[in-house]
């Protein structure tokens, strides 16, 4: 069926181009910023082992499902789901699932660019030597000053949206593909350099033991669910991204092999990020479970104390920016593709409108760190008493919208779409590999996502 439909946006030049694009989407702040700190919070090696199992049994099947949906329909996520529902003889109301996905990715973009802006700002801060000899109090004060200046934050966010829009405006091959062809190899080179530096200057074996020597006494049931949740969300799943990118995949490309390669690449980057960070943390007696502040408030202390810290600190934040930028591109593309196809806009107009609206929506998130930090829009709702606008958007998208979207995708692909359709698109035949994928999508994935969802909203606690 894929070879009978054509995407109006063109195609990736080949399997490697799609691999780079999908990897660019998956390898973002979740891999380099979040993975190290949640590993630190949950005890290290045992958590990593559970995470790897979750990646294999949840991440790979869901990514395969989203790519097959996009390639079979060759349309934007909203129209694609409607087309596939008709093909299966089901109600076209399933198209709402696609709408939920792109709405979620778009809202995530509006605050994601803010954090990306922090990384961009820290490139220049590290490069100027601001971390040299800085005390923990000074590093914390500087980060607080950045967050406290709404004009500076909005400026970085605006710049990031402009860069993202300019890239997506170039289209599939001349914009997105060209960007990731440069960004992803560059990111890997920087990451390997940082790992090499950690081997030379950090407590490398201590970092290795922390990450790969399982101590199950440090792993809680809640930590297992955190691993499962991160395995799902770090791959840009359930947000319409992989459906949109799947629409541009050539018919001869193996979905199974490419999905495995993308998931493997994202996992390798996450592990390498840990190997770059934890040896430095242990070398300078910092706290591995420092949480979200690990990157912006803890590591600068190490960079300020170590030999050649200015150079390698700058490299680190360049890498963080590159990873985040690749994800920002992918978060914008589903909305642009939908506007082009459903409203017949040119890609240029679709990008301009999308960026302008995203910029306007991003302003309350920016102000949440300073002028509007005292505003808690849902203070009367249990669990939201102290959440700012930024916190609320982050919580709802990650803990409610993405799990619901992921659950619907699993149900749609494994229970609504016809077996012949998914078997045909995956090109695996009706052998053991296909049957395993179908079993995972029908039972393991939905139950896993449901467990994560119920835990995150407080229904299922341990």
């Amino acid at each position: 069926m894929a070879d009978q439909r054509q995407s109006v946006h063109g195609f990736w030049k080949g399997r490697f181009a799609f691999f780079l694009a999908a990897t660019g989407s998956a390898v973002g702040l979740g891999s380099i910023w979040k993975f190290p700190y949640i590993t630190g919070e949950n005890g290290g090696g045992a958590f990593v082992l559970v995470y790897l199992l979750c990646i294999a049994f949840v991440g790979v099947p869901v990514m395969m499902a989203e790519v097959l949906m996009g390639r079979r329909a060759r349309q934007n996520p909203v129209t694609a789901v409607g087309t596939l529902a008709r093909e299966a003889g089901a109600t076209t109301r399933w198209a709402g699932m696609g709408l939920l996905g792109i709405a979620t990715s778009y809202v995530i973009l509006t605050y994601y660019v803010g954090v990306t802006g922090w990384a961009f700002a820290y490139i220049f801060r590290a490069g100027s030597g601001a971390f040299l000899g800085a005390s923990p109090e000074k590093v914390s004060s500087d980060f607080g000053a950045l967050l406290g200046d709404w004009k500076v934050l909005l400026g970085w966010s605006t710049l990031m949206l402009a860069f993202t829009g300019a890239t997506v405006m170039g289209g599939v091959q001349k914009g997105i593909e060209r960007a990731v062809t440069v960004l992803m190899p560059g990111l890997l080179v920087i990451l390997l350099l940082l790992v090499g530096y950690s081997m030379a200057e950090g407590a490398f074996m201590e970092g290795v033991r922390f990450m790969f020597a399982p101590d199950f006494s440090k792993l809680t049931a809640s930590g297992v669910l955190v691993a499962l949740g991160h395995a799902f969300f770090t791959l840009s799943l359930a947000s319409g991204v992989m459906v949109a990118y799947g629409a541009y995949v050539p018919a001869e490309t193996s979905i199974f092999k490419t999905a495995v390669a993308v998931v493997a690449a994202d996992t390798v980057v996450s592990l390498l990020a840990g190997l770059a960070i934890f040896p430095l943390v242990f070398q300078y007696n910092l706290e591995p479970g420092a949480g979200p502040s690990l990157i912006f408030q803890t590591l600068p202390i190490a960079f300020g104390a170590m030999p050649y810290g200015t150079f390698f600190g700058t490299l680190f934040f360049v890498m963080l920016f590159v990873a985040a930028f690749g994800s920002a591109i992918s978060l914008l593309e589903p909305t642009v593709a939908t506007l082009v196809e459903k409203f017949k806009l040119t890609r240029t107009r679709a990008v301009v409108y999308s960026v302008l609206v995203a910029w306007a929506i991003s302003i309350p998130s920016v102000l949440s760190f300073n002028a509007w930090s005292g505003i808690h829009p849902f203070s009367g709702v249990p669990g939201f008493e102290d959440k700012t606008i930024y916190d609320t958007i982050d919580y709802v998208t990650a803990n409610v919208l993405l799990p619901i979207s992921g659950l619907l995708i699993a149900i749609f692909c494994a229970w609504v779409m016809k077996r012949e359709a998914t078997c045909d698109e995956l090109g695996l035949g009706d052998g053991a590999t296909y049957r395993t994928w179908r079993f995972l999508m029908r039972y393991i994935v939905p139950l896993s996502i449901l467990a994560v969802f119920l835990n995150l909203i407080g229904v299922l606690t341990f």
Side-chain angles (χ1 to χ4, degrees):
M1 182 65 71
D3 58 352
Q4 298 174 15
R5 296 179 176 136
Q6 298 294 319
S7 168
V8 300
H9 307 283
F11 298 93
W12 308 116
K13 288 182 180 178
R15 175 186 171 188
F16 187 64
F18 170 61
F19 165 75
L20 289 176
T23 302
S25 176
V27 176
L29 293 176
S31 299
I32 296 177
W33 172 48
K34 190 173 183 179
F35 176 77
Y37 84 70
I38 61 174
T39 298
E41 289 177 331
N42 289 280
F47 175 84
V48 171
L49 179 60
V50 172
Y51 169 76
L52 294 176
L53 293 173
C54 294
I55 279 286
F57 293 106
V58 176
V60 172
V62 175
M63 179 169 286
M64 290 171 63
E66 292 201 46
V67 175
L68 85 82
M69 288 168 60
R71 190 171 74 174
R72 189 164 186 84
R74 297 292 191 197
Q75 294 164 317
N76 67 82
V78 179
T79 310
V81 179
T83 296
L84 296 175
R86 282 193 299 272
E87 182 180 287
T91 174
T92 55
R93 291 180 181 177
W94 276 102
M97 180 180 76
L99 181 60
L100 175 63
I102 65 166
T104 302
S105 63
Y106 189 68
V107 173
I108 290 173
L109 174 68
T110 64
Y111 69 82
Y112 192 89
V113 290
V115 183
T116 308
W118 303 351
F120 201 5
Y122 264 59
I123 293 173
F124 300 100
R125 184 161 295 185
S128 70
F131 300 150
L132 289 176
S135 66
E137 294 76 18
K138 178 66 165 56
V139 170
S140 179
S141 174
D142 286 349
F143 185 61
L146 173 66
L147 296 186
D149 192 332
W150 70 267
K151 293 180 181 178
V152 171
L153 286 186
L154 187 59
W156 288 118
S157 296
T158 302
L159 195 60
M160 281 306 309
L161 275 172
F163 284 165
T164 303
T167 303
V168 174
M169 195 179 293
V172 174
Q173 289 191 6
K174 294 182 179 179
I176 302 173
E177 186 175 313
R178 183 176 294 175
V180 297
T181 301
V182 175
L183 293 175
M184 289 305 99
L187 182 147
L188 182 59
V189 169
I190 294 173
L191 187 52
L192 290 174
L193 284 173
L194 289 170
V195 171
Y197 185 68
S198 284
M199 292 177 68
E201 299 293 339
F204 191 73
M205 291 312 300
E206 189 173 352
V208 170
R209 284 192 295 271
F210 179 75
M211 286 188 64
F212 299 110
D215 181 355
F216 288 97
S217 67
K218 296 181 180 179
L219 183 67
T220 63
S222 178
V224 173
L225 292 178
V226 170
L228 180 61
H230 187 66
F232 188 80
F233 302 126
T234 189
L235 295 170
S236 295
L237 302 176
S239 61
V241 171
M242 291 303 163
V243 177
Y245 276 14
Y248 316 144
V249 174
E252 65 275 9
T253 298
S254 168
I255 292 177
F256 171 66
K257 291 180 180 179
T258 308
V260 169
V262 170
V263 171
D266 176 73
T267 305
V268 167
V269 168
S270 294
L271 296 176
L272 287 175
L275 290 175
I277 292 170
F278 287 122
L280 301 180
V281 168
F282 290 124
Q283 178 69 24
Y284 292 92
N285 297 313
L286 302 174
E287 177 53 54
S293 65
L294 182 66
I295 298 299
F296 293 102
Q297 295 189 68
T298 301
L299 279 185
I301 299 171
F303 288 133
M306 66 180 64
Y308 310 106
T310 296
F311 175 74
F312 285 97
T314 304
L315 269 187
F316 178 85
F317 287 106
V318 167
M319 176 186 67
L320 188 63
F321 165 75
V322 168
F325 184 47
S327 290
I329 292 170
S330 69
L331 290 170
L332 181 59
E333 176 61 20
T335 298
V336 170
T338 302
L339 290 177
V340 170
E341 294 178 36
K342 292 189 73 67
F343 298 97
K344 308 304 178 185
L345 298 178
T346 63
R347 176 168 278 264
T348 298
R349 286 191 175 186
V351 169
V352 170
Y353 295 159
S354 299
V355 167
L356 287 176
V357 174
W359 179 83
I361 297 175
S362 73
I363 293 175
S365 291
V366 169
L367 295 177
S368 294
F369 294 99
N370 33 75
W372 290 2
S373 60
I375 296 178
H376 308 116
F378 298 101
S379 57
V381 179
F384 286 80
E385 295 88 351
D386 298 322
K387 292 189 185 298
T388 64
I389 296 173
Y390 174 93
D391 294 333
T392 301
I393 295 174
D394 180 31
Y395 183 90
V396 171
T397 52
N399 299 349
V400 180
L401 300 183
L402 283 175
I404 290 174
S405 181
L407 184 61
L408 291 173
I409 287 169
I411 294 171
F412 183 78
C413 281
W415 294 96
V416 176
M417 288 184 69
K418 293 180 179 179
R419 182 187 183 100
E420 296 78 11
T422 55
C423 186
D424 171 59
E425 201 60 51
L426 288 177
L428 297 173
D430 198 18
T433 302
Y434 174 77
R435 291 197 299 271
T436 300
W437 172 83
R438 187 172 170 83
F439 173 80
L440 292 172
M441 288 297 294
R442 285 194 139 202
Y443 304 107
I444 304 302
V445 171
L447 290 174
S448 300
I449 295 172
L450 191 59
V452 171
F453 177 61
L454 293 177
N455 174 71
L456 290 174
I457 64 174
V459 175
L460 182 66
T461 57
F462 295 87

